[in-house]
Amino acid sequence: MLPDPSERAALARRREHLARALGSTPAVLASSRPRPRNYAADQFPFRASSHFLYLFGLAAPDGMGFYDGQGWTLYLPEPGPDDALWDGAVPGFAEIAERTGCTVRARAQLPAALKGRAVATLPTPDLETCMEVAGLLGREVRPGKLLPLDEPLAEAMVALRLRHDDAAVAQLRKAAEVTAPAHLAGMRATRPGLLEAVVRSAMEAEFLSRDVRPAYCPIVTVHGEVLHNLKYHHALREGDLLLADVGGESPGGFACDVTRTWPVSGRFSTTQRELYEVVLRMQKASISAVRPGVRYRDVHLTAHREMARGLVALGILRGDVEELVVDGVTALLFPHGIGHLMGLDVHDMEDLGDRAGYAPGRTRSQEFGHRYLRLDRDLEPGMAVTIEPGFYQVPGILGDARLTARAGDRLNREVLARYSDVRGIRIEDDVLVTATGHEVLTAAIPKEASDVEAVMARA
């Protein structure tokens, strides 16, 4: 994959900004290596590492981008004599240089360029590439670990990628555009008697037909109480809710992350609709709070307060709204964070740990539920985040006396039992922080209960 010609200037600006932050410190970033499924020639689909993509826009296996303290050079494998036979025509170095705006040289020349230098790097998620880079740099490189030499590079990359430029926003919009038809197809394909896999296939077919791929392994399940459920063998039954957490990837590698929950029968039951409306109010209140200067943790707590109000009104919870949140009672039914950063990674830059998600001086809460919050920064224009509250009846939580002791008599299990046809509901959108507020990038995907039912009625 070559970058679109229109992105050349944006790529050059990104490299220039990073170079200014690094000063004279050399740095190398790897694109990563193809990974075999079972033997060398049978490979998983290749995706370049996100930091490499951000600077070069190039999906080149075994590529290395090197900053020598003055400028950037791409070091790429030279085409082999049989490449054209197996892979067709491949772009030459001159074409790649034209598209990326970067000097391109053969990979064989990289060791000489690195020799005798102390070079910073950002480890890729795969161990094989890390081992290769370690051999080139003559020091330890492994996933998830930064040496002191690497930390300024990580900080500079985080500062650069936190706020999306116009080219990145355009890619996020494209990712949202390919995701909308996938969710509509999933709603229309749903009916009792099918397997979850059938709905998943209908959704992924929309990506394939547009020559893009999912940004992450899709979640399509009637067991929405299992947060990362990657099983698709359950039959859809009358009275079930189907939770679909499915997002597409743009041609440039940027992610979309959307969850919708809909009734298998095509219509919500009374109890399902009541809880669905609680989650929808949680989401709308949280989205309304998104604007520059707002602390993301406060957006998270906004959702918990709205949940407390809604569940008290239904009789599921009793007590003061603020106390229900502070004491962690709402976390028993909403045990994850309100969302995360979005960009080239669906959980953007989490390969760098909490360095990206947590502002300096802030650390994860140790409280149940709130400790899973992936982002605690003050929002700024250009940031993209997800807003994804949920309601879940997780047996492992509700059956744990140690965890539920915090609720005391404030959790009315008799009333909660009336809502046994709700295992899990999540509603998720991608939200761009603007200068004056926010923009919901995925607003085209229906989420009002009546709109979801109308889509399914047209199946």
Side-chain angles (χ1 to χ4, degrees), residues 11-326:
L11 294 169
R13 282 194 298 272
R14 293 171 186 172
R15 294 193 297 268
E16 181 183 348
H17 286 313
L18 188 58
R20 283 204 299 266
L22 293 174
S24 60
T25 302
V28 66
L29 294 168
S31 70
S32 79
R33 308 177 68 182
R35 303 178 193 179
R37 298 177 65 211
N38 44 26
Y39 62 92
D42 182 20
Q43 298 176 347
F44 287 108
F46 174 76
R47 187 191 187 277
S49 69
S50 295
H51 300 301
F52 184 91
L53 272 180
Y54 186 76
L55 297 176
F56 303 104
L58 183 69
D62 295 313
M64 298 277 182
F66 177 50
Y67 173 68
D68 64 3
Q70 295 182 328
W72 291 92
T73 302
L74 265 173
Y75 289 88
L76 303 176
E78 293 190 89
D82 297 333
D83 284 0
L85 170 64
W86 299 107
D87 302 321
V90 295
F93 285 2
E95 184 180 0
I96 294 172
E98 172 61 28
R99 288 288 193 97
T100 62
C102 191
T103 300
V104 181
R105 293 179 181 154
R107 261 292 303 270
Q109 299 178 37
L110 181 58
L114 295 173
K115 189 175 181 179
R117 295 175 179 265
V119 179
T121 193
L122 298 179
T124 59
D126 66 299
L127 183 59
E128 293 83 1
T129 303
C130 287
M131 292 173 64
E132 182 179 14
V133 175
L136 287 167
L137 301 185
R139 65 173 176 89
E140 182 185 28
V141 178
R142 59 187 171 92
K145 181 175 181 180
L146 295 175
L147 297 186
L149 175 62
D150 304 324
E151 291 180 357
L153 172 59
E155 295 291 351
M157 187 63 82
V158 168
L160 191 55
R161 287 180 57 185
L162 269 177
R163 292 166 293 277
H164 295 296
D165 56 26
D166 290 344
V169 170
Q171 289 289 328
L172 288 170
R173 293 189 196 284
K174 289 179 181 179
E177 287 170 7
V178 301
T179 299
H183 278 265
L184 293 174
M187 293 176 192
R188 290 169 179 153
T190 299
R191 61 183 60 88
L194 299 180
L195 294 181
E196 297 156 324
V198 175
V199 180
R200 177 194 176 188
S201 67
M203 300 181 78
E204 290 197 56
E206 296 296 324
F207 299 141
L208 290 173
S209 69
R210 291 165 175 80
D211 196 26
V212 297
R213 56 190 172 189
Y216 52 94
C217 195
I219 299 167
V220 182
T221 182
V222 294
H223 284 280
E225 79 280 9
V226 181
L227 298 185
H228 287 171
N229 197 336
L230 301 180
K231 300 174 183 176
Y232 313 97
H233 64 279
H234 302 103
L236 311 186
R237 304 187 186 282
E238 195 85 26
D240 281 341
L241 291 175
L242 185 68
L243 185 152
D245 189 336
V246 180
E249 189 173 87
S250 76
F254 281 76
C256 181
D257 187 6
V258 173
T259 308
R260 292 292 186 265
T261 307
W262 57 80
V264 167
S265 67
R267 296 194 66 82
F268 292 97
S269 71
T270 300
T271 47
Q272 288 170 346
R273 194 179 189 108
E274 286 176 346
L275 284 178
Y276 186 91
E277 293 295 341
V278 170
V279 177
L280 187 58
R281 288 195 299 272
M282 291 165 65
Q283 202 221 19
K284 288 180 176 179
S286 300
I287 290 174
S288 294
V290 172
R291 58 185 179 276
V294 170
R295 184 175 178 177
Y296 190 75
R297 187 175 189 275
D298 291 337
V299 178
H300 170 76
L301 294 175
T302 293
H304 276 272
R305 293 186 187 100
E306 193 60 42
M307 167 176 263
R309 293 187 192 98
L311 297 187
V312 166
L314 293 178
I316 294 173
L317 295 181
R318 308 184 183 97
D320 176 76
V321 165
E322 196 64 32
E323 289 179 358
L324 289 167
V325 175
V326 171

Side-chain angles (χ1 to χ4, degrees), residues 6 30 37-38 103 192 215 243 246 328 385 387 423 448 453:
S6 65
R37 298 177 65 211
N38 44 26
T103 300
L243 185 152
V246 180
V385 299
I387 301 294
R423 297 188 182 108
E448 297 290 340
E453 291 175 339

